[in-house]
């Protein structure tokens, strides 16, 4: 089992930055990929960034390319989502997710790829 806890959300003005954290505990050595999803009110959950750790192949949704970056610390217990140049359309609840399988590139953006999910953290971009 892997437990995930997100933090770092909040209110930020357009053009600002936030860094979300995803703290993992449990059998973290078994994870092979992770992703950040978001869900805005009235919309479906969507993947914004995903990474397969063995080769660091990364997926970015077109709406966040050049603005959002995923990383993790050296002991692989915390993953981060650096969000720059935020716009109101980025307002959503953000979830981190981790998977233990051997995902192919085309499956990185699919929620079904991931076995463990955090509880979510609210990001609001507004002036």
């Amino acid at each position: 089992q892997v437990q995930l806890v997100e933090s770092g959300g909040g209110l930020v003005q357009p053009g600002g930055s936030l860094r979300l954290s995803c703290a993992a505990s449990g059998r973290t050595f078994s994870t092979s990929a992770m992703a950040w999803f978001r869900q805005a009110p009235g919309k479906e959950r969507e993947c914004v960034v995903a990474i397969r750790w063995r080769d660091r192949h990364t997926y970015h949704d077109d709406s966040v390319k050049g603005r959002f970056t995923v990383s993790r610390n050296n002991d692989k217990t915390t993953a981060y989502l650096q969000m720059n140049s935020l716009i109101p359309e980025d307002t959503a609840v953000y979830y981190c997710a981790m998977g233990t399988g051997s995902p192919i590139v085309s499956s990185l953006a699919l929620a079904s790829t991931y076995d463990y999910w955090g509880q979510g953290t609210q990001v609001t971009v507004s002036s």
Side-chain angles (χ1 to χ4, degrees):
Q1 291 289 329
V2 176
Q3 295 78 41
L4 304 176
V5 178
E6 301 100 334
S7 61
L11 173 64
V12 62
Q13 291 187 342
S17 297
L18 277 178
R19 188 176 78 159
L20 305 183
S21 299
C22 176
S25 59
R27 298 173 61 88
T28 57
F29 60 86
S30 66
T31 59
S32 56
M34 75 88 57
W36 289 91
F37 286 75
R38 69 185 179 188
Q39 188 166 20
K43 294 188 176 181
E44 293 186 355
R45 188 172 298 191
E46 62 177 356
C47 181
V48 292
V49 180
I51 186 167
R52 185 173 64 187
W53 294 120
R54 63 177 175 85
D55 58 5
R56 301 193 70 80
H57 185 94
T58 305
Y59 162 87
H60 288 83
D61 184 78
D62 286 345
S63 65
V64 305
K65 282 182 179 177
R67 301 189 299 123
F68 289 13
T69 304
V70 63
S71 63
R72 67 178 176 180
N73 63 354
N74 289 335
D75 63 7
K76 304 178 183 178
T77 58
T78 304
Y80 303 98
L81 180 65
Q82 179 67 43
M83 305 186 294
N84 298 326
S85 303
L86 285 161
I87 59 177
E89 290 76 15
D90 295 321
T91 296
V93 177
Y94 284 72
Y95 301 88
C96 67
M98 293 192 182
T100 58
S102 300
I104 58 176
V105 168
S106 60
S107 70
L108 284 176
L110 301 178
S112 58
T113 295
Y114 302 94
D115 307 291
Y116 304 103
W117 292 79
Q119 82 289 348
T121 185
Q122 176 70 46
V123 172
T124 302
V125 184
S126 175
S127 55

